[in-house]
Structure formats: C-alpha cells, structure tokens
Amino acid sequence: MTNLLEARGVSCSFGGLHVTRDVNFKLTAGDRVALIGPNGAGKTTLVNLITGDIAPSEGQFFMGGDEITGLSIPDRVRRGLVRTFQTTRLFANLTVADNVALAIMQRKRITRRFFSSSTELPEVRAEWSEILSHLGLDRLAYRKVVELAYGQQRLIELAIGLALHPKVLLLDEPAAGVPHDEAPKILEAINRLPPDIAVLMIEHDMDLVFKFARRVLVLAAGRLIFEGSPDQVTADHEVRRAYLGSYADARRAT
Amino acid sequence: MSEIVATQVPHKRSIPFGQEAAGALSIIVLGAIGYFLYPDDLAFLTRLIGIAFLVLSLDLVTGYCGVATLGHAAQFGVGAYAAGIACVRGITDPIALLAIGVFAGTIMGLISGALITRFRGLPQLVLSIAVGQLVAALANKLSWLTGGSDGLSGITPGKVFGIFNFDMYSRTAFLFSLGVLVIVFVLLQRFVRSPFGLMCRGMKDDDLRAKMIGVSIYPRLVVMYGVAGAVAGIGGALTAISTGVVGLDSVSFERSAEVLVMLVLGGAGHLWGALAGTIIFMIFEHIVAAANPFHWMTLVGLLLILIVVFAPRGLIEPVLSLASRFKRKGEAA
C-alpha cells in the first residue's frame, strides 16, 4: 500500500534543545492514528515539522513517494496535507461562511478571480452550506468569527480542514475547548471523511482517542516510544509510566 | 453511523448589483451637491477627487492587506508625471492620458510591491519610505524630463471625447473626474468582494492560516500593489490633466503621510471609509486654512486626536455598526 505520508529519521533542535529526535512513522490510506504523549513531548512541534512551518535539522518527509521536505507550506497543502491548529487560527474579521468559502475556493483554484461575488458563488455556497450544517454551524454562517464562542471557533477550524478535501489530515487537539455536548460532532465529522484518507490526531481526551484511533503513536521527550493498537497501548508498561497512568488502570478496572 | 440530513443555509436577501448601484448613486449625488452648490470651488473639488483615488489605492494595500506604507504617493506621482510628460510631448487625448497614467501607476505599483511586501512590520515601513524618497529624488534630478523643482507645466489636454473643452471654471475637469471616480469605485466594490479581494482580507487577519489553506502570500500582495498602483495612477493622471501642472509635492513624503491620515480618519478597510476620510480631511483643511492660515495644522492635529480617541477605527465604523444593527433588527422582525 502506498504511504500517504512518511517521516524518516526526523530530528529538530532549537539551539541545544532536542525537541524531536529521530522520528519515523508512516501513514497509509485509511489510517486513523492518534498521537499522544505528555505535555511538552513535542507533539505540536512534530505537526509543525510535517506542515513545513519549521524545518527539521535532520531527516525527510515523503508524500506518496515524493520528498516534500523542501516544499513551502502552500505547496504541501496543495498536495493534500492539511492541518488544524491547537489554538484557533481563523480569519477573525470575516464571517463563518467566508472562512470556509475561502478554503473551498482556494482548493478549486478560483481565488484569483477579480470580479465575482465570492461567497455566494453557487458551487461554493452549496459546499460551505453543507459543511456548516453538518457541524451545526449553519445558523452562524453570516456572523463574524470574532463574535463567536471559543468552542464554536474550534468547529470552524475543523470545517476549514474538511473544506480542503485533504489526503492527510492532521488534527491538533480538535476537541480542546469544545463544550462536552458538542464534542461528538467532531467524531461524527471525522467518521464522515472519505475512508481512503489518512488522519493523524493529537488528543488528550482518551475517550475520544479510543473511539477514533485504530493505531496509536506515543511521543515522549521528542521520541516515539511506542506504536500499536489502542489496547496494546494501555497494556504497555512503559507508556503507562510515561503518560497514561491512572487512565489505563481505570479502564482495566471496568 | 446515523444519517444527518443537511439543511441549506438560507440565502442572504440582496438585490443584485444593489451595492454597486448605491455606490454609484451616492457619488453622483455628492458630486451634484458640489457642482450646483459650490460652483466656485470646482477646482478644489476636482483636486479632492484626484486625492480620493490615492486614498482608495492606499486602502487596497493598507486597509485590505495590512501593508504598512508611507511612500504611497510614488504611485500617484508617477501616474501624474507620465500623463503630464505624454501631454507635453503631444499626446493630448484625456482618455489616452488616463490610460498612460494607469499603465505607469501599475508598473510603479508592481515594482514597489515586489520590494515592500517582501518584508513585514518596521522594515516594510522603512522600505516604503525609501521607495517613496527615491521616486521623489528622481523626479527632482531628472529636471529635463520632469521640470524638477519648478514643476512640469504646459500640460494642455485636448477635448474629452473630442467635444468637451477643459474650461477655466474646471466644470469639465470636475465632471470628467467624477465620472471616472464612479466607474472606478463601482469596479473596486466588485473587486474587494471578489474571491481575490476576500482572500486579501483573510491574509491580513492571519497569514499563517492563509498559507495553511494553500495560499502563496507574496505574489498576491504584489498583484494587489499593481491594482493599487493603477488606481493611484488614475488619480495622478486626472490631477495632471485638470490642474495643468505636476509638482514635486505629488510624490512627496508629506503627500504619503497625509493620505494615510485621511484613510485612518475615514476608516481603513472600507472603500467608503477612504472616501469619507478624503472628503472630511480636505474640506476641513480647505475651510480652516482659509479662515486661519497660521494655525490650521494645529486644528487638524486636534481633530485627529479626537477621532483616534473616540473612533479609533475611523469615522465610518460607527456608521456601519449602526447600519448592521438596524439591519439585524429588521431581519428579526
């Protein structure tokens, strides 16, 4: 099976601080992978390395066999590598519809048009309208993002990711800050994704991890210390000591 | 997995080309007020329209893209000189002169944009001043072409459409400028709402987010600078045609700073803000300078402080928020 994304021997250090050490992993079509690890393990740094926001000091990334290590952020996005942010990064002064519409139009390569009323283009409108409805944001379509609650903004972050039709989707704590009763919408949205794309999710909410992931990567101090199925992870002694602690014990007790 | 039936978001009720029609109509009404009530001030009002193009142009890069610049007069000045020089050398058709101004402004915009938008923040601001000063210095040094510090004079354009002569009361100049403003303003209204324009506003909000949806920022900013240069070039050419002279003031640092003040005053990021800022600043300056030629700058300074304190996002912002509140109330009812 082709690797949608592959990291080979990726390391990154800032000055003398090694944030990522010799990370190797592969994502294949249909993968649903959770990346877990204690705070400061370098999870977000790893996502930043994959997207090209920061450059690795060593190692390479590949997408479908092509090396992407030297490509710019937009070039990687055009190849289908899409991320969401841990702390929301949105077009705050635009409406919710505009935020999602921009992603759709960029994907469709129509953001170079100078004279057409953008958000209301029929083919664009149908798409953002559907995405927003699925996430329960349809009533907020014409509100400015800056006026919305943080939890709602988190869902827009996801909506933009979906609108880009990713091949590899990196979700950086998609449920952080989302009110508890809204959280299932995130899982629903992920379940609706085409089955052949690869999804890598950083998440602290272990309930969500176990519902979502078929494979778990555990990162500690910049190193991948474990890879396996969710059940193997909870059983692994080292992982429990490094991270899971009481959660695994509680899960076993029940 | 449960099937969720997606509901469609109801369409926004809007009249097609409603905004454009309102824009054109408002400018025509304002123009008519100027033309009929102040027939002795048409030369001043024509100058005001010329500057309005420059402020609109600045709004495109500063208000819509967040580029900090204090050298924007360069685009205006280059348009003015290009049209002026062409006219002195024998091309007298006003429309052709406008086209020359647009062309020169676009080229200048693309060059400035390519330099200035490579950087961000303070380096960007300093670079914009440097580009502006360079153009001003060239305009002064190339006196065989530009007239240097004496200014370029002897610009006598032909008839508009071969019919309307430029008269000494500036009637033709005013109406010609107003007509061009209506056309350009309507086009800009479409432009800022286009996918390209919307993306520029997005890039201003968060450029990393824009990159993460696959946008290359730099080429877009350069293109935007080119469009802004075209708009400023029109203003320059119109001013050259209607006043008959082009001086070093048209490329000066003071001009760049003044139009930035007008934009902030009116409200950056809105075309109406640019227009309102120009009208208020220039009329205020015109009246106060006539009443008190020694202290008018003091009064302009005071006015600015008051506006920045009480309406930091420009005079247009309270008007717009009032309008949207009114609209929301209307929808709720």
Side-chain angles (χ1 to χ4, degrees):
Chain A
M1 196 185 287
T2 52
N3 296 321
L4 288 179
L5 179 71
E6 184 183 355
R8 271 189 220 159
V10 173
S11 298
C12 177
S13 49
F14 301 116
L17 188 67
H18 298 285
V19 193
T20 309
R21 300 157 189 254
D22 191 30
V23 168
N24 295 281
F25 68 87
K26 291 173 183 173
L27 297 181
T28 54
D31 247 341
R32 297 292 182 268
V33 180
L35 176 67
I36 64 170
N39 283 327
K43 300 185 294 291
T44 295
T45 303
L46 184 56
V47 171
N48 288 340
L49 283 165
I50 298 171
T51 56
D53 204 9
I54 47 179
S57 0
E58 272 172 65
Q60 299 134 310
F61 288 104
F62 296 86
M63 277 188 85
D66 301 336
E67 182 168 358
I68 57 161
T69 322
L71 293 184
S72 69
I73 296 174
D75 282 337
R76 294 181 200 213
V77 176
R78 283 173 211 142
R79 285 173 176 246
L81 182 63
V82 172
R83 75 169 294 181
T84 66
F85 290 92
Q86 184 182 5
T87 45
T88 53
R89 297 199 73 134
L90 299 165
F91 304 127
N93 292 305
L94 303 185
T95 64
V96 176
D98 284 344
N99 267 264
V100 183
L102 277 178
I104 295 166
M105 292 190 292
Q106 182 61 29
R107 194 194 79 227
K108 290 179 179 278
R109 306 266 183 280
I110 53 178
T111 50
R112 293 195 187 97
R113 284 191 198 167
F114 273 25
F115 293 104
S116 53
S117 195
S118 47
T119 314
E120 300 296 316
L121 288 171
E123 72 268 30
V124 176
R125 175 175 222 294
E127 219 179 298
W128 64 249
S129 174
E130 193 191 332
I131 293 173
L132 292 183
S133 302
H134 277 312
L135 290 169
L137 294 167
D138 40 344
R139 293 168 140 269
L140 305 171
Y142 295 116
R143 293 278 297 279
K144 270 191 191 179
V145 165
V146 70
E147 298 168 0
L148 304 185
Y150 187 69
Q152 293 166 329
Q153 294 188 5
R154 299 293 303 153
L155 291 172
I156 301 167
E157 189 65 53
L158 184 62
I160 292 175
L162 301 180
L164 290 167
H165 287 190
K167 290 199 183 89
V168 177
L169 180 60
L170 311 168
L171 302 167
D172 196 350
E173 298 198 30
V178 176
H180 203 71
D181 49 334
E182 304 265 320
K185 280 182 193 155
I186 290 174
L187 203 59
E188 269 168 32
I190 294 166
N191 285 337
R192 253 197 316 274
L193 286 168
D196 57 333
I197 77 165
V199 184
L200 177 78
M201 184 201 280
I202 298 178
E203 190 49 69
H204 280 295
D205 180 346
M206 294 309 288
D207 281 324
L208 192 57
V209 167
F210 282 100
K211 277 181 197 152
F212 155 79
R214 280 166 236 157
R215 194 151 64 94
V216 179
L217 303 173
V218 184
L219 198 69
R223 215 183 278 281
L224 278 180
I225 59 164
F226 187 86
E227 182 177 348
S229 72
D231 286 330
Q232 286 170 326
V233 168
T234 44
D236 187 85
H237 183 67
E238 201 183 341
V239 176
R240 276 166 60 193
R241 210 187 41 203
Y243 179 50
L244 289 170
S246 55
Y247 184 87
D249 294 334
R251 202 174 144 86
R252 296 193 144 197
T254 53
Chain B
M1 200 176 84
S2 64
E3 198 57 44
I4 298 168
V5 181
T7 49
Q8 286 282 308
V9 177
H11 278 265
K12 255 202 297 197
R13 270 174 298 165
S14 60
I15 309 151
F17 300 103
Q19 285 195 33
E20 288 80 1
L25 206 66
S26 309
I27 294 175
I28 290 168
V29 168
L30 284 173
I33 292 171
Y35 187 81
F36 290 111
L37 296 188
Y38 303 98
D40 299 333
D41 288 316
L42 289 184
F44 161 72
L45 294 176
T46 308
R47 204 151 49 81
L48 187 156
I49 294 174
I51 297 294
F53 282 97
L54 179 56
V55 182
L56 284 168
S57 163
L58 182 67
D59 199 12
L60 290 182
V61 296
T62 302
Y64 285 90
C65 296
V67 176
T69 165
L70 272 169
H72 210 66
Q75 272 91 283
F76 178 88
V78 167
Y81 273 114
I85 291 163
C87 189
V88 173
R89 307 262 158 132
I91 301 172
T92 55
D93 180 64
I95 308 287
L97 291 174
L98 271 193
I100 289 166
V102 170
F103 180 74
T106 309
I107 300 294
M108 188 62 219
L110 289 173
I111 294 170
S112 321
L115 281 168
I116 292 168
T117 61
R118 266 263 171 241
F119 302 88
R120 312 221 100 204
L122 283 178
Q124 187 177 65
L125 191 65
V126 171
L127 206 57
S128 75
I129 296 172
V131 171
Q133 297 298 77
L134 201 65
V135 171
L138 276 176
N140 191 17
K141 290 287 170 205
L142 301 175
S143 53
W144 57 273
L145 188 66
T146 62
S149 54
D150 297 335
L152 181 71
S153 54
I155 302 167
T156 41
K159 296 172 180 177
V160 181
F161 303 126
I163 306 168
F164 305 104
N165 234 328
F166 282 94
D167 55 297
M168 63 177 290
Y169 303 104
S170 291
R171 276 186 207 126
T172 306
F174 176 76
L175 292 175
F176 181 52
S177 302
L178 190 71
V180 178
L181 181 64
V182 169
I183 295 166
V184 171
F185 194 81
V186 167
L187 289 176
L188 285 180
Q189 278 182 308
R190 296 289 294 171
F191 175 59
V192 298
R193 282 190 290 136
S194 71
F196 184 92
L198 190 65
M199 186 59 88
C200 286
R201 284 165 59 200
M203 282 160 24
K204 181 191 168 197
D205 270 5
D206 192 330
D207 62 340
L208 181 60
R209 165 42 82 196
K211 282 186 203 163
M212 285 293 177
I213 63 173
V215 181
S216 307
I217 310 277
Y218 177 64
R220 276 168 191 271
L221 288 178
V222 175
V223 170
M224 191 54 143
Y225 242 95
V227 175
V231 176
I234 295 176
L238 274 177
T239 307
I241 293 168
S242 56
T243 58
V245 288
V246 182
L248 286 176
D249 62 308
S250 63
V251 285
S252 66
F253 176 77
E254 286 76 16
R255 173 63 54 82
S256 292
E258 213 171 53
V259 291
L260 185 63
V261 167
M262 292 183 211
L263 181 62
V264 172
L265 179 79
H270 306 285
L271 294 178
W272 283 113
L275 224 48
T278 315
I279 294 170
I280 292 165
F281 184 95
M282 297 233 359
I283 290 180
F284 188 80
E285 181 189 302
H286 188 65
I287 293 170
V288 175
N292 191 336
F294 298 107
H295 295 300
W296 74 272
M297 266 318 258
T298 324
L299 284 168
V300 170
L302 274 175
L303 172 81
L304 262 179
I305 291 170
L306 283 176
I307 285 165
V308 171
V309 168
F310 290 106
R313 294 169 73 186
L315 288 170
I316 203 78
E317 194 66 30
V319 179
L320 287 176
S321 72
L322 206 70
S324 77
R325 199 181 303 169
F326 188 71
K327 207 170 144 193
R328 211 172 284 170
K329 217 176 247 177
E331 276 168 14

